[in-house]
Amino acid sequence: MAASMIINKLSSSVLDSSNTEKKKKVRDYSTIHVERVCGILTNQSYSEFFENYLLRNRPCILSSLNTDTWNSRTDWTLPNGQPNFEFLREKFGHACVPVANCKKEKYSSQPKEEQTFSNFLDYWQSYIESGHPDSMDNLYLKDWHFKREFPEYKAYETPRVFTSDWLNEFWDTKEDKDDYRFVYMGPKGSWTPFHADVFRSFSWSANICGKKKWIFYPPGEEENLCSKYGHLVYDVNSSDLDDVILYPNYTKVKSRLEIIQEAGEIIYVPSGWHHQVYNLEDTISINHNWLNGCNVDICWQYIKDNLVQVEREIEDCRGMEGWDQQCQLILKASCGIDYEEFLQFMEVIALNRIKLLQNQIKLMTNQSDIHQKVCEPDKTQGVNQGVLKEREQSTGTPKGNQSTSLTIDKGLPMDKGQINHCVFDLHSVKDILSDMICTSEFTSLAGCESRANKLILQIEKIINNFL
């Protein structure tokens, strides 16, 4: 089972939103703002956050209290709030990191090159000492797989409300051990162009030091920020948008949000919300992309839409042999995933939860057997009471009516809230599979339809055991 898999407690009300159409109805962007969530979010806060923000796909900012105990907040920063270059260079200076030049544009992106982390820190210090001059390049370290490269150093703890992370759960099972956990470091003035996150995933970003300005547009508004050629604007503050011929729909934009993220705060970026980000100070941040049962339908629709674009671009070759397979190859290259791999994704997520629920049934059966033998001592021939007690402890049977917490790795029983979470996840996977088998481009792929149907039956069988 994937190391990144965590099953938190959910109230039974989330099961009312297990259907894709029901989830769409709670995503209302007519009145929008970025809420600040005060205090430390605990296990008890999870279900409320899940329903108010993840299901509703609405942004928010978490208090810096949630990052105060992170090693990165103390090791990577000085008392004055500036980056601790000496510590960073000594511990990680030998690493090779991706660095973008914020003053250059290439194919609607900022070109990157690899360099040693030590060299980047030398540049950064020089840039600060020179007063962040316009005459120097503005370099931004982006998408550094820090956790993958330094697994022994615990820089942070993923906030509980973001731990239902199917994306990294799946990628952790792959041979290349890729992930979507990143560190960003950049001087004052560095920035990220207008975009939405990979696969239309959620993301969270924690400022270790420094301050960021975020500009958000809710889903749908990006259509008004595209040129007549269908290309998304590179910079939402560009005067190019005033060209009504080039950007004919810009005047239709209704919603734009701006929010300042302070040091220590964590911002939650919902699925499909396009955004542009500026570092207002010398800033370090930790970022994850992730998705789960709340937004997997948005991800799947995004992949389908990308395939439509691919098919349109090579429409003149439709008669060629293996055209469907060729479209999937291009989809994989352009989008990062194809239909067959997305099916693998759904299989991993579903089978992990099916395994948990199957184990739960076994534990419940064992507890029932134990209870029956304890209540009917005359029928427990030759059973030593000490052995019964040992079996009771090994199966995690609670004393009296007290509830127990789940430690999945130890195989202890789940409580009702954790079972609800597994069932919600499985309903979400089933919704995607049901749409897959109604999609001709998917059913044309060898073996995929039968695999999807088999998994649907497995999901229905295990869910029925808990109804």
Side-chain angles (χ1 to χ4, degrees):
M1 193 167 292
S4 59
M5 180 184 179
I6 296 177
I7 302 295
N8 297 303
K9 301 178 183 180
L10 281 181
S11 70
S12 58
S13 60
V14 300
L15 301 179
D16 296 332
S17 300
S18 58
N19 180 271
T20 297
E21 292 305 314
K22 293 178 182 177
K23 282 185 282 193
K24 288 179 181 179
K25 289 180 180 178
V26 301
R27 298 170 186 153
D28 179 13
Y29 310 124
S30 56
T31 56
I32 57 171
H33 60 283
V34 181
E35 296 180 357
R36 276 192 147 82
V37 181
C38 300
I40 299 175
L41 293 182
T42 64
N43 293 352
Q44 288 69 36
S45 313
Y46 181 81
S47 189
E48 183 179 352
F49 188 91
F50 190 94
E51 295 190 56
N52 289 341
Y53 299 103
L54 300 187
L55 268 179
R56 296 180 183 278
N57 205 43
R58 299 177 71 89
C60 66
I61 288 184
L62 309 187
S63 163
S64 61
L65 294 173
N66 293 278
T67 65
D68 278 351
T69 60
W70 290 4
N71 289 332
S72 54
R73 289 291 311 281
T74 53
D75 293 345
W76 297 8
T77 62
L78 297 171
N80 64 0
Q82 287 294 304
N84 189 337
F85 293 112
E86 183 177 347
F87 177 88
L88 292 169
R89 183 179 287 104
E90 180 181 348
K91 292 286 289 186
F92 317 116
H94 62 281
C96 189
V97 296
V99 177
N101 191 332
C102 296
K103 291 189 175 181
K104 294 182 179 180
E105 178 185 354
K106 186 176 182 180
Y107 305 121
S108 296
S109 184
Q110 295 167 341
K112 287 182 182 178
E113 63 178 22
E114 298 284 327
Q115 60 179 260
T116 65
F117 185 42
S118 182
N119 284 346
F120 173 75
L121 293 177
D122 290 343
Y123 150 78
W124 194 358
Q125 284 185 285
S126 175
Y127 193 56
I128 293 174
E129 291 167 0
S130 301
H132 304 88
D134 290 337
S135 58
M136 290 180 66
D137 282 337
N138 191 298
L139 303 184
Y140 194 1
L141 188 162
K142 290 183 175 183
D143 301 321
W144 182 15
H145 294 269
F146 176 85
K147 189 170 183 178
R148 187 179 68 193
E149 292 190 37
F150 297 96
E152 302 304 317
Y153 179 83
K154 192 170 184 180
Y156 62 98
E157 186 76 34
T158 300
R160 173 66 63 172
V161 292
F162 304 138
T163 52
S164 177
D165 180 353
W166 293 11
L167 195 59
N168 287 299
E169 180 182 340
F170 173 60
W171 252 263
D172 283 349
T173 67
K174 297 171 71 67
E175 291 184 2
D176 58 11
K177 297 298 180 185
D178 201 359
D179 65 10
Y180 287 88
R181 308 176 183 100
F182 308 105
V183 164
Y184 281 49
M185 298 189 183
K188 177 182 177 180
S190 52
W191 66 293
T192 298
F194 191 52
H195 72 287
D197 289 322
V198 60
F199 307 138
R200 295 301 182 263
S201 59
F202 295 140
S203 67
W204 62 263
S205 178
N207 276 359
I208 303 307
C209 66
K211 184 185 297 186
K212 289 180 185 286
K213 176 182 178 181
W214 293 75
I215 302 173
F216 282 113
Y217 290 86
E221 286 284 32
E222 72 279 0
E223 296 175 10
N224 297 321
L225 292 157
C226 287
S227 71
K228 64 179 181 180
Y229 305 109
H231 300 147
L232 198 67
V233 67
Y234 177 71
D235 178 359
V236 293
N237 293 322
S238 171
S239 59
D240 291 347
L241 287 168
D242 297 327
D243 185 339
V244 294
I245 295 177
L246 184 59
Y247 290 94
N249 295 318
Y250 179 58
T251 56
K252 298 178 182 178
V253 171
K254 295 180 180 179
S255 301
R256 168 174 163 143
L257 296 178
E258 294 188 14
I259 190 77
I260 303 299
Q261 179 191 12
E262 304 289 344
E265 291 184 330
I266 307 171
I267 195 162
Y268 156 63
V269 182
S271 187
W273 283 64
H274 284 67
H275 50 282
Q276 189 163 304
V277 191
Y278 295 90
N279 289 323
L280 302 179
E281 300 173 348
D282 297 293
T283 303
I284 299 174
S285 64
I286 291 171
N287 310 268
H288 279 205
N289 291 105
W290 95 105
L291 58 87
N292 56 33
C294 295
N295 68 333
V296 66
D297 61 300
I298 298 176
C299 175
W300 170 236
Q301 186 61 52
Y302 171 72
I303 295 169
K304 289 198 296 180
D305 290 344
N306 271 262
L307 182 61
V308 171
Q309 294 178 23
V310 168
E311 291 175 336
R312 187 180 299 123
E313 289 173 3
I314 62 170
E315 176 64 32
D316 57 337
C317 301
R318 183 178 285 270
M320 67 179 283
E321 185 177 352
W323 186 79
D324 288 332
Q325 289 72 23
Q326 188 62 35
C327 287
Q328 291 295 318
L329 285 173
I330 298 173
L331 177 66
K332 170 76 172 179
S334 62
C335 189
I337 197 168
D338 58 22
Y339 277 19
E340 199 278 334
E341 188 172 34
F342 197 79
L343 174 60
Q344 290 179 27
F345 179 20
M346 294 297 94
E347 288 171 331
V348 167
I349 299 305
L351 293 176
N352 280 346
R353 283 142 188 80
I354 289 171
K355 183 178 179 180
L356 276 179
L357 292 178
Q358 288 173 336
N359 185 59
Q360 178 70 11
I361 292 172
K362 291 178 182 178
L363 291 172
M364 292 166 63
T365 302
N366 289 341
Q367 290 174 7
S368 178
D369 290 344
I370 292 170
H371 179 73
Q372 182 178 5
K373 291 179 179 180
V374 170
C375 293
E376 302 177 19
D378 55 309
K379 295 182 181 181
T380 57
Q381 300 175 5
V383 178
N384 182 279
Q385 292 301 310
V387 173
L388 278 176
K389 184 177 181 181
E390 182 179 339
R391 285 179 61 189
E392 183 174 343
Q393 292 173 344
S394 68
T395 56
T397 305
K399 296 180 181 180
N401 292 321
Q402 295 177 353
S403 63
T404 58
S405 61
L406 170 70
T407 305
I408 292 176
D409 292 340
K410 295 181 180 179
L412 297 181
M414 293 188 288
D415 64 21
K416 184 178 179 180
Q418 291 158 334
I419 292 172
N420 287 341
H421 204 320
C422 281
V423 172
F424 174 84
D425 285 356
L426 288 173
H427 273 302
S428 298
V429 171
K430 181 187 171 185
D431 286 345
I432 299 302
L433 296 172
S434 298
D435 189 75
M436 282 180 159
I437 60 178
C438 295
T439 305
S440 60
E441 292 87 352
F442 176 79
T443 56
S444 68
L445 303 175
C448 285
E449 183 176 7
S450 61
R451 285 165 56 189
N453 277 314
K454 179 181 177 181
L455 189 54
I456 288 173
L457 292 175
Q458 289 178 276
I459 290 172
E460 290 176 342
K461 181 178 179 181
I462 195 69
I463 288 178
N464 287 337
N465 280 293
F466 287 90
L467 292 179

